[in-house]
Amino acid sequence: MNILIKWYYRLGAPLWFYPLAGKLIPWVAALFLLFLIPGLYMGLVTAPADYQQGESFRIMYVHVPAAWMSMFVYLAMAIAAVVALVWRVRMAEIMIISAVPIGASFALIALLTGAFWGKPMWGAWWVWDARLTSELILLFIYLGILALYNAIEDKTTAGKAMSILTLVGVVNLPIIHYSVVWWNTLHQAATVSVFDKPSIHIDMLIPLLLMATAFKFLFLLILLLKMRANLIEQDVHSGWVKKIILDKQAEMEKEHD
Amino acid sequence: MSPVRKKRFYMVLLLVVGISIATFLIVQAFSQNMMFFFSTSEVKQGKAPKDREFRLGGLVVEGSVKRIPKTLTVQFELTDSITPVSVEYTGILPDLFREGQGIIAKGQLNASGVFVASEVLAKHDENYMPPEVADSLAKAAKINAENAKNAEKAGSTEAISESIKEKSE
């Protein structure tokens, strides 16, 4: 029985997941555009200019959602790492390794847009304050996880090592979040938080929340694409991939006739 | 959860807790080094290093900014609303530099206790609003301040008239 369950986890889940993800992708892409277009329009056109920073504050509509996502993706990976280590679910490992490059990209976008914002406002591209440094460490952790997984040939061992490293890195998340509270930093404190009233005008807040939602769907979209690609790549010699290929061939032949 | 999974779960928990404690201790040990800047009060208390550069943060005191003609040298005072420190800087200031703005200056104290800055960064706060809202907030603050002043004045004239009464009696 146990062996059967193991086989289900190993091979059954991809066969079920792969077509489901394929069906979800266009819907997620539509939701992404649905939030992105009004978010960008309101953020770049209709939102009023800031009283201090003028038009330059608009870079926040990319910077802030990207920074939030860089942490959100990591949190999702950490939860998947617990599932992968305790229940030995292979799909959780696939999810982690597929999410790593996405999270790293979000961290890189946050750091780059932050530099573009910092130069005119603060007077510096980069400073070694606690917020900026801890976000840079997050980027390095992402790259470390990616390197570790690719360095180990056997993917079962690689998945385990990657999950452990992911959990080690999770301590950085509260450090990033509270860095502006615990230490004197050049970076300002949080504008939007769950418990306090946001210190941003409502006309500026709405596009920010739209963009944040759009980024969530963007993550989901790329994650689904990447998970499908990783599954196919790893299981190229296994039965379920062959079955999908044969089904596809039969479908195409039918269309031909 | 089966006993095997329970055991694995506790191992994972142990890992996270252990790493958290280790990180907490490291961060505690480095806490002073992770401060990006010193406040003006800390400088006056002698907590800032004397023989090397450090960063000083504070608000630019209203009306304290003086430009020395025909040079790029600016003199101003920074305060954390308790103790002010005089700062001197030669160079181009960032766009957000203005009176009442939060500033972080990098430099060293000279013999006369003036902070000679080699770099000035502007710190902005977490508030975002359109200029009209900022204006109306500033107006409201002004009116509040005036009301408070008037109330104080009224209080003091009452006190004076009372004291006059007392004397005449």
Side-chain angles (χ1 to χ4, degrees):
Chain A
M1 191 62 200
N2 253 333
I3 291 169
L4 271 182
I5 290 171
K6 209 171 173 183
W7 272 96
Y8 173 77
Y9 282 146
R10 289 278 136 186
L11 294 170
L15 183 58
W16 165 84
F17 173 86
Y18 189 88
L20 177 75
K23 276 194 199 106
L24 280 175
I25 283 167
W27 293 100
V28 177
L31 280 170
F32 165 59
L33 290 175
L34 192 71
F35 282 92
L36 180 78
I37 292 164
L40 273 182
Y41 179 74
M42 288 171 79
L44 298 181
V45 182
T46 64
D50 183 54
Y51 76 116
Q52 268 202 325
Q53 304 187 29
E55 305 289 344
S56 341
F57 94 101
R58 293 181 198 280
I59 199 165
M60 92 164 11
Y61 294 116
V62 178
H63 174 77
V64 176
W68 282 346
M69 285 312 290
S70 70
M71 293 167 73
F72 177 86
V73 171
Y74 201 93
L75 193 65
M77 280 164 51
I79 293 166
V82 174
V83 175
L85 285 174
V86 177
W87 284 274
R88 297 282 146 88
V89 182
R90 179 169 167 251
M91 286 304 283
E93 288 171 9
I94 297 287
M95 183 264 157
I96 297 171
I97 195 56
S98 307
V100 169
I102 313 171
S105 308
F106 282 132
L108 189 66
I109 291 170
L111 289 168
L112 287 178
T113 53
F116 295 150
W117 196 0
K119 184 60 186 170
M121 288 305 134
W122 295 341
W125 297 102
W126 177 265
V127 290
W128 291 102
D129 90 341
R131 169 56 73 82
L132 277 66
T133 309
S134 54
E135 180 74 16
L136 183 67
I137 291 172
L138 179 68
L139 175 64
F140 289 155
I141 292 174
Y142 274 125
L143 298 180
I145 294 169
L146 194 64
L148 179 71
Y149 188 78
N150 289 321
I152 302 172
E153 200 63 37
D154 174 41
K155 288 309 165 206
T156 316
T157 320
K160 227 182 273 176
M162 172 186 69
S163 303
I164 291 170
L165 185 60
T166 304
L167 282 176
V168 170
V170 87
V171 288
N172 194 30
L173 290 189
I175 294 181
I176 297 174
H177 185 78
Y178 289 107
S179 55
V180 289
V181 181
W182 290 342
W183 302 292
N184 299 335
T185 53
L186 183 59
H187 196 286
Q188 72 283 6
T191 296
V192 183
S193 77
V194 180
F195 303 109
D196 290 332
K197 199 173 153 282
S199 33
I200 177 168
H201 192 266
I202 185 78
D203 292 344
M204 298 161 156
L205 177 65
I206 290 167
L208 183 62
L209 296 181
L210 285 174
M211 287 300 284
T213 315
F215 270 54
K216 289 251 160 36
F217 284 117
L218 177 63
F219 164 58
L220 195 60
L221 173 66
I222 306 173
L223 182 71
L224 290 176
L225 287 167
K226 198 93 183 83
M227 279 177 79
R228 266 164 64 104
N230 278 334
L231 275 174
I232 287 271
E233 194 186 334
Q234 282 190 16
D235 292 357
V236 71
H237 298 299
S238 75
W240 72 269
V241 176
K242 275 180 194 141
K243 189 175 176 298
I244 281 173
I245 294 169
L246 288 175
D247 284 354
K248 196 90 192 167
Q249 268 176 348
E251 207 178 281
M252 283 169 90
E253 268 165 25
K254 232 184 194 175
E255 273 172 24
H256 232 69
D257 297 337
Chain B
M1 264 193 279
S2 71
V4 183
R5 282 178 194 158
K6 217 171 215 169
K7 200 179 141 204
R8 285 193 209 132
F9 184 74
Y10 287 134
M11 292 293 276
V12 166
L13 209 65
L14 197 71
L15 173 83
V16 172
V17 170
I19 298 284
S20 302
I21 292 170
T23 316
F24 175 76
L25 291 175
I26 292 170
V27 164
Q28 279 287 309
F30 281 112
S31 216
Q32 200 54 55
N33 296 357
M34 301 201 32
M35 287 296 174
F36 190 64
F37 59 86
F38 290 90
S39 72
T40 51
S41 293
E42 284 169 337
V43 170
K44 275 283 151 77
Q45 287 159 17
K47 282 184 186 161
K50 293 194 173 56
D51 48 347
R52 60 178 177 87
E53 284 204 321
F54 63 92
R55 291 192 190 83
L56 172 69
L59 299 174
V60 181
V61 178
E62 302 268 352
S64 73
V65 180
K66 276 183 230 114
R67 283 170 202 275
I68 299 188
K70 290 189 180 166
T71 62
L72 280 174
T73 304
V74 191
Q75 289 172 332
F76 54 91
E77 286 194 346
L78 283 183
T79 183
D80 57 356
S81 73
I82 302 167
T83 28
V85 169
S86 302
V87 181
E88 201 180 279
Y89 173 68
T90 306
I92 296 162
L93 292 164
D95 286 358
L96 280 183
F97 183 91
R98 60 192 74 165
E99 289 175 359
Q101 181 73 36
I103 289 295
I104 294 171
K106 188 177 161 193
Q108 224 167 343
L109 285 172
N110 70 8
S112 51
V114 175
F115 187 82
V116 182
S118 58
E119 182 189 53
V120 170
L121 301 176
K123 183 173 161 63
H124 65 80
D125 59 18
E126 66 274 26
N127 298 306
Y128 299 92
M129 55 186 125
E132 307 86 57
V133 176
D135 282 350
S136 60
L137 278 183
K139 258 184 209 160
K142 219 178 181 183
I143 289 166
N144 275 342
E146 265 170 21
N147 284 347
K149 234 184 201 174
N150 287 341
E152 212 174 80
K153 249 189 202 164
S156 61
T157 45
E158 260 168 38
I160 291 165
S161 57
E162 256 170 43
S163 67
I164 291 170
K165 258 186 205 168
E166 267 170 29
K167 268 182 192 169
S168 61
E169 276 170 12

